[in-house]
Amino acid sequence: MSDARSLADIKSDLAAQVQQVMTRYPTTRSAIMPALDLAQQKYGGVDGLTYQAVAELLDVPEIWVFEVASFYSLYDRAASGRHHIRLCTNLPCLLRGAEALMMYLQQRLDVGPGETTEDGRFTLSAVECLGACEQAPVLMADKQYHGDLTAAKLDALLASLADQPAEDLS
Amino acid sequence: MSEQVLLRNIDNPNGHKIETYEASGGYQGLRTVLRDFAPDEVIEEVKSANLRGRGGAGFPTGLKWGFVPKDSPLPRYLCCNADEGEPGTFKDRILMERDPHQLIEGMVIAAYAIGCRTAYLYIRGEYHLSIDRCQQAIAAAHARGYLGANILDSEHSLEIHIHKGAGAYICGEETAMLESIEGRRGQPKLKPPFPAVAGLYECPTVVNNVETLACLPHLFRRGGEWFASIGPDHSPGPKLFGLSGQVKRPGVYELPMGMALGEMLEVHGGGALTGKFKAAIPGGVSAPMFPRSAFDVKMDFGSLAAAGSMLGSAGVIGLDETASIPVVARRITEFFSHESCGKCTPCREGLTWAAKILRRIEAGQGQPGDVEQLEMLCGGIFGNSFCALGDGAAWALGAALKHFRPEFDALIAAHSQAG
Ligand code: FES
């Protein structure tokens, strides 16, 4: 998130790309989602300072930015771990054992859904259908899908991610 | 196996590249359109080929385009709905990842038909690979003169911009999607006015699904008659079905419409994972399920509607004998309750309530009268919610209660006896 950054820093970080995005739409309001996305790619999440920066860059009321940021689930408004694991628990995944895998992940990481491990390495979330039901059960780790999951595959995945730095968040 | 049209490049690791696409006849449809058809003639051809929307509603595509007013001075927009999110549905992702140029070419043709110069491709935010591949495809199409100003030296110009969704299922509803592109919360709007008249930025707008648009290049390369000759008269053209759940061979299959549900599951899906099938959902979780006794139903728009369900997104979910229908019903209801946008009371409150009762039944705390209560809730939501989300949820739950009532009763009775 924007911890140590000032409003001015965020604005100057984002200004050029936000300007670019604005050209795609006839209204600046339309650029709110892409601007939040750019901020999230850069800082790993969005917060009050980001809303203010986006609002000022686009010259729209800050509440418009907040309304959008709080409606859509992919904007991370709370700090998450270095790696975000989103396990699908919807029907096709459930029918192939997603609930048991969720329990397994909770035990392995010692966290509940929506929580981050104490060492800050992993955030675990239960999510709705990822649109990859042919590979059920499926999860998304950062930007990568992993399908046909088993407990052994989860072990291997956790091991491979554990020492990896957070990938470029874009 | 019938001819693979939409999936012909599916196993080619270079299927997403423009060279592969061109080598398999890509962009020939667009050349034909720009050379031989006036925009109105494009609409007529799509009407006579009887292409019906592949997003869920099955509305005739040519008819939809025809609603765009001819005399409006406002810009027209084309929005491609790639916010695939209905559990069991993944066909559009496969198209965008493996052969995205079909979609881009289809968008250029559709934009020509309706006189649009700016199009938005709304892709769900989780689909990173689809987003990358479509972005590359747009750039490659630009470089070859299939996009941008004066496409292939014609009068037609088009820019396509990708708008990334951010994890809201409701944005698959067309008016919610337009709100989202406008930079608001994705909540559906009352219709009329329909988007064709007052859609994006209050301008005439056509919203089409990925697979619908991906059909167009083939339709124009090989002709409307060829297109209409595939599958049954009322539901023609190539069609993708996503098979998932407890089937041996999950995946996306290109099959003509009109095949029996049972045949699709047994022959193509490879049969049930364990034992036999117990039930199946034909078109994403909002489509009411069928028990095995009804597996001879034909998989097309009309037959499924007549049988009390729908083709929807054609996401077929197989349930074998190990599946507990109360669990399935609970998970579907939880999904819709979670994804309700909160705008209308029957959907927001009703689904939360129904999910609570279903969780209670599953946990062994069911009470006599719970099933009646659920039925009452379904009746209260269906037809009374603002958009199709509430209807779909109530309809799906209603079918589970109707076909598998004894499973619910047994769970409740076990508790009453224990108590
Ligand atoms: S249900 Fe898990 S990816 Fe669709």
Side-chain angles (χ1 to χ4, degrees):
Chain A
M1 298 252 163
S2 42
D3 313 319
R5 291 177 192 85
S6 69
L7 180 64
D9 289 341
I10 303 177
K11 280 171 70 177
S12 72
D13 278 357
L14 298 178
Q17 279 176 294
V18 168
Q19 287 294 335
Q20 172 64 31
V21 153
M22 281 162 72
T23 63
R24 299 182 203 153
Y25 304 96
T27 70
T28 47
R29 187 172 192 160
S30 284
I32 295 176
M33 287 178 74
L36 284 169
D37 184 53
L38 288 168
Q40 175 147 315
Q41 286 179 34
K42 220 167 177 59
Y43 311 124
V46 294
D47 63 9
L49 220 46
T50 332
Y51 310 149
Q52 204 183 332
V54 168
E56 291 185 13
L57 286 168
L58 296 178
D59 193 20
V60 298
E62 195 179 324
I63 184 67
W64 289 5
V65 182
F66 178 69
E67 268 172 21
V68 167
S70 57
F71 182 81
Y72 297 94
S73 63
L74 288 184
Y75 299 125
D76 289 324
R77 291 178 296 129
S80 51
R82 239 192 294 150
H83 300 290
H84 197 155
I85 296 185
R86 297 176 157 96
L87 180 75
C88 173
T89 56
N90 217 303
L91 185 61
C93 285
L94 176 145
L95 290 167
R96 298 181 88 107
E99 290 194 336
L101 293 177
M102 189 69 198
M103 296 296 291
Y104 183 74
L105 275 175
Q106 290 184 35
Q107 278 167 6
R108 277 273 338 241
L109 297 173
D110 195 23
V111 290
E115 293 175 3
T116 300
T117 54
E118 238 164 62
D119 61 7
R121 275 185 179 163
F122 296 103
T123 298
L124 177 65
S125 303
V127 297
E128 301 296 354
C129 180
L130 288 168
C133 328
E134 83 281 18
Q135 310 159 39
V138 185
L139 64 74
M140 188 167 133
D142 304 329
K143 285 170 67 179
Q144 201 72 39
Y145 277 50
H146 300 267
D148 301 310
L149 293 171
T150 57
K153 277 198 187 175
L154 289 179
D155 288 341
L157 176 67
L158 293 182
S160 79
L161 287 177
D163 303 313
Q164 243 178 60
E167 64 172 286
D168 160 31
L169 292 153
S170 60
Chain B
M1 181 66 68
S2 49
E3 186 196 342
Q4 301 291 284
V5 177
L6 295 167
L7 295 187
R8 72 204 184 297
N9 288 329
I10 216 68
D11 294 322
N12 184 336
N14 289 317
H16 58 286
K17 304 230 170 94
I18 197 162
E19 296 78 14
T20 314
Y21 187 63
E22 285 178 326
S24 67
Y27 290 107
Q28 291 305 328
L30 174 63
R31 284 180 198 280
T32 308
V33 164
L34 294 179
R35 191 184 56 225
D36 301 340
F37 289 78
D40 275 348
E41 292 167 346
V42 175
I43 299 181
E44 283 316 308
E45 184 76 358
V46 171
K47 276 187 193 163
S48 66
N50 198 12
L51 168 62
R52 298 178 59 174
R54 267 64 168 145
F59 194 78
T61 304
L63 201 59
K64 193 187 242 185
W65 294 356
F67 292 151
V68 172
K70 301 264 173 286
D71 48 358
S72 167
L74 298 168
R76 294 103 197 268
Y77 291 103
L78 170 72
C79 295
C80 171
N81 188 344
D83 190 54
E84 191 167 52
E86 177 120 341
T89 315
F90 42 90
K91 63 187 177 68
D92 294 340
R93 192 193 93 242
I94 301 283
L95 288 174
M96 290 188 285
E97 288 181 356
R98 313 252 182 111
D99 199 354
H101 281 282
Q102 298 182 91
L103 168 60
I104 304 302
E105 184 180 357
M107 287 181 77
V108 184
I109 295 172
Y112 174 73
I114 61 165
C116 149
R117 301 173 66 99
T118 306
Y120 294 97
L121 171 49
Y122 190 102
I123 309 184
R124 71 177 290 189
E126 290 90 337
Y127 279 7
H128 293 284
L129 186 57
S130 296
I131 293 167
D132 288 352
R133 293 263 162 98
C134 288
Q135 198 68 65
Q136 289 165 18
I138 289 170
H142 249 285
R144 292 274 224 272
Y146 300 126
L147 266 181
N150 301 104
I151 295 170
L152 298 173
D153 296 322
S154 71
E155 297 285 286
H156 182 39
S157 301
L158 179 70
E159 293 298 337
I160 301 178
H161 302 296
I162 293 179
H163 191 93
K164 258 164 103 169
Y169 166 73
I170 191 60
C171 291
E173 196 280 339
E174 61 178 2
T175 60
M177 192 182 90
L178 300 178
E179 288 286 286
S180 183
I181 300 175
E182 289 182 10
R184 298 169 216 270
R185 299 181 153 220
Q187 291 186 317
K189 286 209 291 196
L190 200 61
K191 295 187 273 196
F194 287 91
V197 178
L200 192 63
Y201 311 114
E202 298 292 309
C203 297
T205 301
V206 163
V207 179
N208 285 142
N209 167 260
V210 173
E211 186 188 348
T212 312
L213 292 163
C215 283
L216 296 170
H218 307 287
L219 195 163
F220 284 96
R221 187 162 61 91
R222 300 172 70 172
E225 255 173 66
W226 162 83
F227 189 90
S229 72
I230 302 171
D233 289 349
H234 49 84
S235 302
K239 180 77 195 90
L240 301 182
F241 294 89
L243 266 51
S244 69
Q246 292 160 322
V247 297
K248 285 213 179 86
R249 287 195 303 266
V252 53
Y253 294 87
E254 180 171 339
L255 301 164
M257 287 187 263
M259 177 178 291
L261 173 59
E263 182 185 348
M264 196 172 282
L265 286 165
E266 294 293 345
V267 178
H268 299 278
L273 206 55
T274 34
K276 287 190 210 140
F277 286 112
K278 173 188 208 168
I281 295 170
V285 290
S286 60
M289 61 171 66
F290 290 111
R292 196 179 45 177
S293 56
F295 272 17
D296 53 359
V297 63
K298 299 219 177 324
M299 295 293 288
D300 58 64
F301 295 109
S303 309
L304 285 163
S309 188
M310 62 176 170
L311 184 63
S313 61
V316 183
I317 306 171
L319 310 174
D320 71 19
E321 287 163 322
T322 66
S324 152
I325 301 298
V327 171
V328 170
R330 184 262 299 164
R331 190 62 190 87
I332 293 175
T333 308
E334 279 180 341
F335 168 72
F336 287 114
S337 153
H338 183 256
E339 297 297 323
S340 169
C341 77
K343 181 162 179 151
C344 72
T345 321
C347 170
R348 182 188 65 233
E349 306 293 325
L351 293 175
T352 310
W353 189 2
K356 248 184 215 166
I357 298 174
L358 287 160
R359 276 196 290 266
R360 184 169 81 206
I361 295 176
E362 193 180 325
Q365 315 276 303
Q367 294 158 12
D370 273 354
V371 173
E372 287 73 15
Q373 178 89 271
L374 286 169
E375 283 168 342
M376 189 268 297
L377 278 170
C378 288
I381 299 167
F382 191 85
N384 294 318
S385 65
F386 193 86
C387 78
L389 188 145
D391 286 350
W395 206 18
L397 174 57
L401 295 170
K402 176 171 136 211
H403 297 302
F404 295 96
R405 165 103 196 218
E407 285 194 37
F408 293 87
D409 287 340
L411 273 176
I412 296 168
H415 168 61
S416 312
Q417 276 157 17

